[in-house]
Amino acid sequence: MTTTREAVLAALKGVTDPISGQDLVSAGPVRALTVDGGSVRFVLEIDPARAELMEDVRAKAEAAVRAVPGVEQVSAVMTAHREASPELDLGRRPEPAGPRRIAGVDRIVAIASGKGGVGKSTVTANLAAALAAEGRRVGLLDADVYGPSQPRMLGVSGRPASPDGKTILPLRNHGVTMMSIGLMTREDEAVVWRGPMLMGALQQMMNQVQWGALDVLLVDLPPGTGDVPMTLSQNAEVTGVIVVSTPQDVALLDARKGVDMFRKMSVPILGMIENMSTHICSNCGHEEHLFGHGGVRAEAEKLGIPLLAEIPLALGIRLASDGGAPIVVSRPTSPEAAAFRRIAQYMIETEAG
Ligand code: ADP
């Protein structure tokens, strides 16, 4: 049975907006509704101050749509209808939701992982530097709210300027134009990002940062399948996603969930990367498989996704990242750097970079 847009709207009309007392469709918070076979996606544009109240409404709206005959998959996310960044509240409404391009940016490639600590940020920083070394105009948007580490990995610090109070000037190092959610708050400030705040900050970073002309913008996503990957998939035209995993079963299981979510959101999976694949002892050169080996290759084959690289667990990779110059920059002729360079070249050949 095919689900129609009208049937979905009728279901949403059955849910009351507690603020206006009207139904959700008449009250107007429903945005970017897409009905694609049995898969329904929409955004609720809300006042961040009412986030908790609206979470209940979001759940009710999702349940109402799920009950529509033919609906198999529903995703409803909340977006702040005004700026919600604690530091850079620039007093401008975000553009309307719905997949859109970022002005001047040719491609958006997201780097995802099922769980934290698998080296997603390390891979993103090296990939960005490798693409820049190939002569590409590269941006890096660090949206990893749980641990924004790109400022440290790319060796940039300081707050991005906003001379006109409207746009944000990104920072730049190693040929990479960078903006991090970590730079939008003070370093000593622990921020609990609530859903709508996140959406506002993400939209600001996509639309108000002066990215300039870019061949590709890499987005370092937080691990898992939460609000940020969902919002990015819904609000931006994402060229594709690369999933990073270690070979361990537990990490793979989470990676599989990630792959599944992006597939449901119709975002192409460009490939998987096995990180911490083998360990080569820096003293004797002995090779060990600390986290197993080949797990990601097998999984990628099973899922019909290309395996882009197997990156070794190497002290040099960690030291380089901690030192603010990814190994692609600090030791460009090392075998580890070569592994990242090959991914960058593959991305360029396949028009993804
Ligand atoms: P994530 O972004 O997935 O949370 P990070 O990129 O922050 O993970 O990596 C976690 C830690 O592991 C960092 O200290 C990083 O330097 C280190 N690391 C990541 N990949 C490698 C690797 N291939 N070899 C050695 N250390 C690595």
Side-chain angles (χ1 to χ4, degrees), residues 115-122 144 149 153 275-276 311-314 317-318 321-322:
K115 74 193 259 289
V118 300
K120 168 184 52 59
S121 300
T122 306
D144 188 348
S149 46
M153 289 191 178
N275 188 33
M276 311 189 186
I311 310 284
L313 177 71
I317 294 182
R318 186 187 68 71
S321 295
D322 284 353

Side-chain angles (χ1 to χ4, degrees), residues 102 141 201-209 211 232 235-236:
I102 300 176
L141 191 166
L202 187 66
Q203 284 197 18
Q204 261 191 308
M205 294 207 298
M206 287 193 306
N207 302 323
Q208 285 171 244
V209 170
W211 290 109
L232 182 79
N235 288 5

